[in-house]
Amino acid sequence: MSQFRALAGVLRGGGRQWLRGPGGGVIHLFGPKRCCSSKAAVPSAVASSSSYVEEMYFAWLEDHKKVHESWDTFFRNAQADAPPGEADKRRPSTLLQGRAMSQTPGMTQKVVEDHLAVHTLIRAYQIRGHHVAQLDPLGILEADLDAFVPSDLITTLDKLGFYGLDESDLDKTFQLPSTTFIGGDQTTLPLREIIRRLEASYCGHIGVEFMFINNVEQCQWIRHKFETPGIMQFSNTEKRTLLARLIRSTRFEDFLARKWSSEKRFGLEGCEVLIPALKTIIDKSSAAGIENVIMGMPHRGRLNVLANVIRKELDQIFCQFDPKLEAADEGSGDVKYHLGMYHERINRETDKNITLSLMANPSHLEAVDPVVQGKAKAEQFYSGDTQGKKVMSILIHGDAAFAGQGVVYETFHLSELPSYTTHGTIHVVVNNQIGFTTDPRVARSSPYPTDVARVVNAPIFHVNGDDPEAVMYVCQVAAKWRNTFNKDVVIDLVCYRRFGHNEMDEPMFTQPLMYKQIRRQEHVLKKYSDKLIAEGVVTLQEFEEEVAKYDKICEEAYTSSKDEKILHNRHWLDSPWPDFFTAEGEPKSMSCPPTGLDEDMLQHIGQTASSVPMEDFKIHPGVSRILRGRADLVKKRQLDWALGEYMAFGSLLKDGIHVRLSGQDVERGTFSHRHHVLHDQEVDKQTCVPMNHLWPNQAPYTVCNSSLSEYGVLGFELGFAMASPNALVLWEAQFGDFHNTAQCIIDQFISPGQAKWVRNNGVVLLLPHGMEGMGPEHSSARPERFLQMSKDDPDRFPGFSGDFEVQQLYDCNWIVVNCSTPANYCHVLRRQILLPFRKPLIIFTPKSLLRHPDARSSFDDLATDTKFKRLIPDEGLVSQGPGRVKRVIFCSGKVYYELAKERKQQDLERDIAIIRLEQISPFPFDLVREELEKYPSAELVWCQEEHKNMGYYDYVRPRFLTVVANKKPIWYVGRDPAAAPATGNKSTHLNELKRFLDTAFKLNAFQGRKF
């Protein structure tokens, strides 16, 4: 292109005088010395353009038809003027001499400009052809929501003028650039054919968006897949397979509609082609070596995907429609169109084993996206699949949600990050061109619902859902793209929704014109079967036999389903751990071993934590000071918070347990206490992770700073934790209250996940919490929200037999703790893995306690026979005379140290006991009762630093009353109710603290109050 522009500029700028020297001599464009006869310097523009003319000449010598007729005329005239015998030997430099030379500049300029114009035209179709593609099966809306036709696309002959061309140029032949493949084996084509092939490639039932990708190789790859003539060909066998899959997809929905006409099922009608599309992606991926596919999708079409892609038994699906069947196993279950499934089977097209997993998900659209990615990453990690060649993810989306939900963007932003990439996801957007009742023209600002994918340079293939072969071809290309480049790709499946949002909904209220057209719309199965019958690929009889065959399968499964007496939620488990539980899915024991460690291990881990295990590695002086401080603690057999965490992680790694810590700034720690990744101060990007240098055959430790996202990253870590029970997966919020931007993951997956989907998950949330006078946003991790969702009964003292602690943990939905010592923090992390089952663990972690001189533990607190203390009793002076104790203060977390300090100052260490509740939920009824029995005459107080309507009080109060059988009150001491979690004024903060500490130690504070 630059050569064309240069030559055109030369000719345009000076006409003939550029071709003749000042003395009248002719410039030798291609002479050996590139000079003119008068010794004048050759203009640089002409020299830079010379290769084009020479290229034209040699092409003409090979075959006169390979060049434009104007060049043919030019070279014939020049050769005719050559002396006899020399014409074939001479270079273009000599052919350009003589009379012909004076006749060519204007003509040559026109030829070059026309070639430039044609090349620009080709690029215009590559960039904007998708805007006029025939994508809407209904023919109502433009897929890009804009009826405007780009002026540089030749939709009418008059638009040729945009390029300085006219109708007379249509039959002229043009040289094709290297950036197109429309010529196939030909290097030149007439303009008319160029336009026809461009329209076939970019303006038919497939629209391709890819020219924003900044990688030339990838753009060329896509051009080749869509421009090469005849490339979209299918064999008769492939067409018959496609038809059979379309029959199954369509007849499955028809069967459900006949049998359960008044049931919600969120059917696939209008986008039946999704099933053969997914199966094509899986077939091509399996052929490329993929062994494991993790999928996520919304409710629309889920039952069809379960039946015809995952291959769930039909009778099990039909059972879900029986309102009389009760669940046989634990949990509350979920509606049928939210359920997941895990299945290993043979892929019939490749004859290879493949594992398919469809993740269960809530109604919250797109919430499952990062969960799928996290599980896919974990499966890749555990199988050593560092390039994504064995494990992949497929995400199915709705058009409105894909454009509207921010978690889609957050998930895309993880796709290229080293510790989060799954090496390419295939996204399939089921574009119904409507969101519930909302028209897309008021639902998004972008032309397409898929524009968010452009941020990661993912190609976007728009395709008309009523053209099954076009859909299949796009799916093949998408699978090959993912296998070739290991990058995300998006398929925009433009279709429609034959019924309302659900089968009971009336869409004519809000979309009357669309649904009038939909009612007239012929089913895609009818269209495609007619096409194949007309082509002679199948006969009408063969088609009808295939339909009858699948209908019979459905009827037999329906009959079989009536024999089922109970539902099995466990049959719908999407992430089984067969080696962890018994065959029935139960824990192999109901006990937990001690979580302590031997002295040698503590010393070894402590020494590694306080050193740099790499030679010639220069660390920052501040980090060096921190490591020296750790070394001093180890010598004294003590540990602070950072060392307690090191002990937990290091000991688990020795036992082969993978530890993964993720979140914003976790490598260093928000409060600069962790420093698990050391940075060389003199070598860029050279780092050291001492935790990975503990033992010769240890499990790997992954610590990774995440993108600045909570919703997406917490969902990712939840998914990672699903893959294996033998891993400690932790997500740390930068500050505890930041978890509320991930509230959907907490509310819909973490808290009820086991109840809804019989799915154990041991993910750990580390939420920095504490009233430090830092203002309302960086104080509270909102413990009240987690406690409100805890399922233990406040009015019933649990009647467990055996190990009370383990039985209670097994019965809960998650564990909520606020540790006050480093040793207890270490114990609870180790207990998370040593338990015979998995529960989510919520830990309110400290800020000021990280360096508090009193918040340290002895190695003795981690001795081999020790374990996590759900409650820490007061073992001070009050234990010598418990009968004389006047008040027992229960508290949790940091406030203990402020209470202990105040008690000492007021010399009340024999009169007031302070007991720490370390595990808040499930509530340690048994230990609280033991403590209260020690102090029969003492009044009972709950003290917290949080406001009264927040924190723990509303949770613990009814449970304390249950322990004392409602015979005595538990008084509240703490901040008054408030709207904000904390004050922004330091003075107010200190005054509030002083006020409630005064109340806590004023022994007559509650005199006269009624219970």
Side-chain angles (χ1 to χ4, degrees):
M1 289 281 282
S2 62
Q3 295 167 350
F4 300 157
R5 291 194 185 97
L7 186 56
V10 169
L11 297 171
R12 196 179 300 116
R16 277 178 213 168
Q17 65 180 358
W18 289 106
L19 299 171
R20 294 188 176 275
V26 179
I27 295 175
H28 290 245
L29 291 176
F30 302 100
K33 295 183 179 178
R34 297 183 186 272
C35 63
C36 65
S37 59
S38 64
K39 308 296 184 186
V42 178
S44 60
V46 173
S48 68
S49 308
S50 62
S51 61
Y52 172 68
V53 183
E54 192 166 26
E55 182 183 336
M56 290 293 100
Y57 174 64
F58 286 121
W60 177 78
L61 285 178
E62 184 180 339
D63 183 351
H64 293 186
K65 293 180 181 178
K66 281 192 174 182
V67 300
H68 188 269
E69 58 188 4
S70 57
W71 281 111
D72 183 33
T73 303
F74 175 77
F75 289 128
R76 285 179 190 276
N77 291 338
Q79 196 172 49
D81 289 343
E86 293 186 18
D88 294 334
K89 301 176 183 177
R90 298 167 65 194
R91 293 175 60 79
S93 55
T94 55
L95 291 176
L96 295 177
Q97 298 178 24
R99 181 177 56 81
M101 201 60 196
S102 64
Q103 299 173 356
T104 59
M107 178 180 66
T108 304
Q109 178 178 350
K110 169 65 174 167
V111 170
V112 173
E113 287 178 346
D114 286 354
H115 272 80
L116 279 173
V118 170
H119 290 198
T120 305
L121 182 151
I122 291 170
R123 184 173 175 81
Y125 273 89
Q126 292 170 339
I127 296 173
R128 283 178 288 280
H130 56 86
H131 285 296
V132 296
Q134 306 303 303
L135 300 176
D136 181 12
L138 303 176
I140 298 175
L141 285 175
E142 301 295 336
D144 61 358
L145 305 184
D146 193 345
F148 172 75
V149 177
S151 56
D152 52 356
L153 301 182
I154 312 301
T155 52
T156 55
L157 288 177
D158 59 301
K159 288 194 173 183
L160 287 168
F162 180 87
Y163 296 98
L165 301 167
D166 56 39
E167 194 171 348
S168 65
D169 293 309
L170 286 174
D171 295 316
K172 291 180 181 177
T173 302
F174 291 87
Q175 186 79 17
L176 297 173
S178 60
T179 53
T180 187
F181 294 87
I182 58 172
D185 295 333
Q186 299 170 280
T187 56
T188 63
L189 283 176
L191 178 57
R192 188 187 305 276
E193 183 63 14
I194 289 173
I195 295 172
R196 189 193 69 78
R197 294 191 185 188
L198 288 171
E199 287 179 345
S201 298
Y202 293 111
C203 307
H205 286 165
I206 298 174
V208 188
E209 279 190 277
F210 70 102
M211 289 292 282
F212 53 82
I213 296 174
N214 51 22
N215 183 296
V216 175
E217 179 195 357
Q218 293 171 7
C219 288
Q220 284 290 79
W221 189 93
I222 293 172
R223 290 185 188 113
H224 179 265
K225 295 297 181 188
F226 288 98
E227 292 183 355
T228 303
I231 196 170
M232 200 178 87
Q233 297 292 332
F234 291 90
S235 68
N236 285 353
T237 301
E238 290 172 320
K239 290 179 180 180
R240 291 169 73 95
T241 299
L242 171 51
L243 179 64
R245 290 172 170 179
L246 205 51
I247 287 170
R248 286 175 171 257
S249 174
T250 304
R251 298 302 291 177
F252 177 81
E253 298 294 352
D254 291 347
F255 185 83
L256 295 185
R258 287 198 309 274
K259 296 295 185 184
W260 297 281
S261 58
S262 60
E263 279 274 342
K264 287 183 185 179
R265 55 187 167 81
F266 294 95
L268 201 53
E269 289 95 340
C271 191
E272 293 91 344
V273 77
L274 175 67
I275 300 305
L278 293 175
K279 291 178 80 70
T280 298
I281 292 170
I282 292 167
D283 289 346
K284 296 302 175 184
S285 300
S286 173
I290 292 294
E291 300 169 358
N292 192 340
V293 178
I294 293 102
M295 300 167 61
M297 69 177 296
H299 40 283
R300 184 164 312 287
R302 174 177 285 262
L303 295 179
N304 208 324
V305 170
L306 284 166
N308 290 313
V309 178
I310 310 294
R311 304 302 292 272
K312 177 72 174 173
E313 298 92 339
L314 291 179
D315 56 344
Q316 290 293 317
I317 295 175
F318 297 158
C319 280
Q320 292 289 326
F321 287 91
D322 190 338
K324 298 193 232 27
L325 292 187
E326 295 183 1
D329 38 22
E330 57 159 314
S332 54
D334 201 350
V335 292
K336 50 191 165 289
Y337 39 81
H338 287 173
L339 299 175
M341 177 62 189
Y342 174 96
H343 188 43
E344 296 180 32
R345 63 177 177 84
I346 297 288
N347 181 279
R348 293 179 181 174
E349 294 297 307
T350 61
D351 203 32
K352 292 181 178 180
N353 278 317
I354 192 158
T355 300
L356 301 176
S357 176
L358 177 64
M359 306 299 289
N361 65 272
S363 285
H364 295 61
L365 298 175
E366 308 297 340
V368 79
D369 295 357
V371 182
V372 168
Q373 301 296 64
K375 188 181 179 195
K377 181 66 175 179
E379 296 289 2
Q380 290 173 353
F381 176 84
Y382 296 126
S383 63
D385 182 16
T386 58
Q387 299 299 316
K389 299 300 183 184
K390 296 179 182 176
V391 182
M392 68 174 286
S393 55
I394 300 174
L395 287 175
I396 298 107
H397 314 266
D399 53 318
F402 199 64
Q405 292 293 317
V407 71
V408 175
Y409 180 84
E410 292 187 35
T411 305
F412 268 116
H413 240 305
L414 298 176
S415 65
E416 298 288 327
L417 304 183
S419 295
Y420 301 88
T421 180
T422 56
H423 307 286
T425 297
I426 298 178
H427 301 263
V428 182
V429 178
V430 176
N431 186 348
N432 292 315
Q433 306 181 84
I434 190 171
F436 204 154
T437 67
T438 304
D439 190 298
R441 289 169 289 194
V442 296
R444 65 177 188 261
S445 298
S446 59
Y448 296 103
T450 52
D451 286 340
V452 64
R454 295 167 69 106
V455 300
V456 292
N457 279 331
I460 302 164
F461 305 143
H462 309 279
V463 60
N464 187 317
D466 266 14
D467 184 345
E469 290 181 11
V471 173
M472 293 314 104
Y473 184 71
V474 157
C475 291
Q476 290 177 8
V477 174
K480 291 174 184 174
W481 165 275
R482 195 266 174 196
N483 183 57
T484 304
F485 298 108
N486 290 111
K487 290 176 66 69
D488 283 30
V489 56
V490 177
I491 299 168
D492 179 18
L493 201 51
V494 185
C495 52
Y496 57 93
R497 194 186 63 197
R498 190 165 284 277
F499 303 112
H501 176 65
N502 60 65
E503 289 71 21
M504 303 297 99
D505 198 49
E506 176 51 78
M508 291 287 283
F509 291 153
T510 51
Q511 273 76 32
L513 297 181
M514 173 184 265
Y515 275 85
K516 283 177 184 176
Q517 176 59 39
I518 288 173
R519 286 175 180 176
R520 292 192 295 266
Q521 190 80 0
E522 196 171 41
H523 286 260
V524 67
L525 177 59
K526 177 72 165 62
K527 288 182 181 179
Y528 192 58
S529 61
D530 287 350
K531 176 178 180 290
L532 294 194
I533 291 169
E535 292 176 2
V537 176
V538 295
T539 64
L540 177 59
Q541 181 182 351
E542 288 173 328
F543 168 66
E544 291 175 345
E545 285 174 354
E546 190 68 27
V547 171
K549 176 183 169 185
Y550 187 68
D551 285 352
K552 183 182 178 185
I553 291 171
C554 290
E555 285 291 350
E556 290 174 350
Y558 175 69
T559 302
S560 173
S561 72
K562 292 183 176 181
D563 296 333
E564 294 289 337
K565 305 301 180 190
I566 52 176
L567 287 176
H568 294 277
N569 291 332
R570 202 173 297 282
H571 289 173
W572 298 82
L573 186 59
D574 58 16
S575 304
W577 297 336
D579 298 329
F580 186 68
F581 294 114
T582 65
E584 293 75 32
E586 299 297 328
K588 292 181 177 178
S589 72
M590 284 302 287
S591 61
C592 182
T595 48
L597 301 166
D598 63 57
E599 183 77 16
D600 290 344
M601 185 178 292
L602 293 172
Q603 288 289 340
H604 176 72
I605 296 173
Q607 288 162 13
T608 304
S610 53
S611 62
V612 183
M614 288 176 65
E615 294 183 4
D616 301 322
F617 193 95
K618 269 271 182 128
I619 61 173
H620 190 277
V623 177
S624 183
R625 187 169 60 252
I626 291 170
L627 298 187
R628 286 197 301 274
R630 286 181 187 171
D632 290 342
L633 284 173
V634 173
K635 286 177 184 175
K636 298 174 187 174
R637 300 185 67 256
Q638 290 185 334
L639 43 100
D640 60 6
W641 210 266
L643 269 176
E645 186 175 78
Y646 234 104
M647 298 300 179
F649 290 0
S651 59
L652 292 173
L653 292 172
K654 186 177 190 299
D655 294 335
I657 300 298
H658 171 53
V659 179
R660 177 182 168 93
L661 173 62
S662 163
Q664 294 156 28
D665 312 297
V666 296
E667 295 178 7
R668 191 203 74 170
T670 300
F671 312 103
S672 196
H673 71 290
R674 182 173 287 127
H675 294 282
H676 282 188
V677 179
L678 307 178
H679 293 260
D680 195 306
Q681 298 296 297
E682 295 181 354
V683 182
D684 184 36
K685 296 181 180 178
Q686 181 160 307
T687 59
C688 172
V689 180
M691 196 86 76
N692 279 323
H693 295 263
L694 282 167
W695 324 97
N697 297 311
Q698 68 172 71
Y701 173 54
T702 302
V703 56
C704 44
N705 290 341
S706 73
S707 64
L708 214 158
S709 152
E710 288 83 27
Y711 189 169
V713 175
L714 178 55
F716 188 97
E717 301 309 327
L718 175 77
F720 200 102
M722 284 178 192
S724 171
N726 299 314
L728 183 67
V729 180
L730 310 97
W731 174 76
E732 181 175 72
Q734 193 176 63
F735 287 92
D737 53 339
F738 288 175
H739 78 75
N740 57 17
T741 62
Q743 199 70 45
C744 179
I745 298 295
I746 294 167
D747 289 355
Q748 310 311 131
F749 290 88
I750 299 178
S751 173
Q754 184 175 353
K756 292 197 292 187
W757 305 315
V758 205
R759 183 166 70 192
N760 273 230
N761 194 294
V763 69
V764 180
L765 275 62
L766 304 178
L767 307 177
H769 171 82
M771 307 291 131
E772 315 277 7
M774 299 301 292
E777 264 69 63
H778 290 155
S779 297
S780 176
R782 296 289 192 175
E784 64 277 2
R785 294 183 177 172
F786 293 94
L787 295 172
Q788 185 186 40
M789 289 188 282
S790 295
K791 64 166 270 195
D792 58 334
D793 189 342
D795 303 318
R796 184 178 66 86
F797 197 103
F800 295 123
S801 60
D803 190 321
F804 185 96
E805 176 184 354
V806 174
Q807 290 276 359
Q808 195 181 29
L809 292 174
Y810 180 69
D811 202 44
C812 74
N813 60 316
W814 57 17
I815 305 162
V816 181
V817 304
N818 188 354
C819 300
S820 62
T821 70
N824 228 19
Y825 177 52
C826 176
H827 279 300
V828 80
L829 291 176
R830 285 182 48 76
R831 186 186 73 172
Q832 186 70 356
I833 292 298
L834 294 177
L835 283 169
F837 46 80
R838 294 289 174 263
K839 300 284 179 174
L841 172 62
I842 317 300
I843 306 180
F844 301 118
T845 55
K847 294 175 286 185
S848 62
L849 292 193
L850 297 173
R851 296 178 178 82
H852 198 294
D854 294 335
R856 290 183 180 166
S857 298
S858 165
F859 278 15
D860 294 335
D861 297 325
L862 283 177
T864 51
D865 58 345
T866 57
K867 65 176 187 175
F868 174 69
K869 295 179 179 178
R870 293 176 290 148
L871 177 150
I872 300 180
D874 192 332
E875 295 174 345
L877 294 176
V878 294
S879 62
Q880 298 173 10
R884 298 195 302 270
V885 172
K886 300 181 177 66
R887 176 175 291 174
V888 177
I889 299 176
F890 282 87
C891 65
S892 189
K894 175 181 74 74
V895 72
Y896 164 77
Y897 293 95
E898 290 158 337
L899 289 168
K901 179 181 177 183
E902 185 70 19
R903 180 178 65 172
K904 187 173 183 179
Q905 288 177 350
Q906 295 196 26
D907 195 22
L908 292 171
E909 292 178 291
R910 295 181 182 275
D911 301 297
I912 295 177
I914 304 175
I915 299 171
R916 285 170 271 178
L917 206 60
E918 301 281 290
Q919 178 180 294
I920 305 153
S921 178
F923 189 77
F925 286 95
D926 54 331
L927 300 182
V928 170
R929 182 166 63 183
E930 281 181 26
E931 291 304 307
L932 293 181
E933 288 172 351
K934 291 181 188 175
Y935 310 104
S937 58
E939 64 179 354
L940 187 56
V941 167
W942 174 262
C943 181
Q944 65 179 35
E945 58 180 352
E946 298 83 5
H947 291 280
K948 189 175 185 180
N949 58 322
M950 303 174 196
Y952 322 97
Y953 179 62
D954 284 337
Y955 176 83
V956 301
R957 182 178 180 273
R959 289 162 176 80
F960 272 110
L961 293 177
T962 295
V963 172
V964 297
N966 288 293
K967 291 179 180 176
K968 61 193 298 187
I970 176 166
W971 302 111
Y972 170 79
V973 172
R975 289 181 165 87
D976 293 334
T983 178
N985 183 281
K986 188 74 172 180
S987 174
T988 303
H989 166 77
L990 294 173
N991 287 335
E992 289 172 346
L993 176 62
K994 183 178 185 303
R995 192 181 304 124
F996 81 70
L997 287 177
D998 287 346
T999 304
F1001 295 102
K1002 186 178 179 182
L1003 291 173
N1004 62 353
F1006 303 106
Q1007 276 186 359
R1009 289 201 192 179
K1010 290 186 178 180
F1011 168 45

